[in-house]
Amino acid sequence: MFNGWVALVSTMDTVDKILVPVDGSEYMQKEVEVACQFSRLLNAEVTILHVVAMPITSEPTGMPEVTKQLEDAGNKIIAEAQRMAVGCGIQPKTEIDFSVGNPGMRIIKKAEGMGAGMIIIGAKGKNRLREILMGSVANAVVNNAPCLVLVVRL
């Protein structure tokens, strides 16, 4: 067991970029607080990401209005998360991205692209049947991430 902890600590030493995907849920404040703590501990840069899940539709006529509303809501979420991080003494980078389908795959692509050493993500703790039927962003990230993943629960 001790060797496992040594490996974890050794891996943590290489974390210089932390990705924090946020969705505006009640978990967001805790995610940001944990990210701030790890940022200070590891002297790591923090990027806060909000992925706008675009609706799948065969009727594109209403899409520009829906897209604008989703983007506006996403910008508010990012601004709030950034305010929280600044309140903790961290100056994060921020980014908004768009996805059709599970946002988890966009989070993974972003982590790969930026060379993130850690992803800090919230989980709602849905029951297993609901998770299987509906999918889970956190589950997709945990099972496919190219780096360490820390799951935050309230």
Side-chain angles (χ1 to χ4, degrees):
M1 182 152 112
F2 181 74
N3 288 338
W5 281 108
V6 171
L8 177 61
V9 170
S10 176
T11 302
M12 294 290 286
D13 286 343
T14 64
V15 174
D16 61 350
K17 294 179 184 173
I18 300 170
L19 180 61
V20 186
V22 295
D23 63 2
S25 71
E26 68 272 16
Y27 297 94
M28 186 167 77
Q29 173 132 12
K30 190 68 172 171
E31 285 175 77
V32 172
E33 288 172 1
V34 169
C36 290
Q37 292 169 1
F38 273 94
S39 175
R40 284 191 294 273
L41 179 70
L42 302 169
N43 195 29
E45 171 184 296
V46 172
T47 299
I48 296 174
L49 172 70
H50 176 69
V51 178
V52 176
M54 299 299 293
I56 300 172
T57 180
S58 60
E59 188 58 46
T61 56
M63 284 304 292
E65 181 60 31
V66 170
T67 300
K68 178 71 173 126
Q69 290 172 356
L70 291 170
E71 184 176 8
D72 289 348
N75 284 328
K76 287 178 184 173
I77 291 168
I78 284 287
E80 179 64 14
Q82 183 176 30
R83 185 193 63 74
M84 290 173 184
V86 169
C88 292
I90 302 297
Q91 294 293 326
K93 293 181 179 180
T94 60
E95 187 172 324
I96 190 165
D97 199 349
F98 296 86
S99 171
V100 176
N102 188 331
M105 298 316 290
R106 294 297 283 194
I107 294 166
I108 292 162
K109 292 280 188 213
K110 176 63 181 174
E112 290 171 344
M114 68 180 272
M118 175 184 277
I119 300 170
I120 298 176
I121 191 166
K124 294 175 176 53
K126 296 186 259 185
N127 71 40
R128 189 72 180 140
L129 178 60
R130 186 170 172 208
E131 184 176 323
I132 290 168
L133 294 175
M134 297 182 69
S136 164
V137 174
N139 189 46
V141 171
V142 166
N143 287 307
N144 297 288
C147 58
L148 295 171
V149 178
L150 178 65
V151 179
V152 176
R153 293 184 185 232
L154 283 178

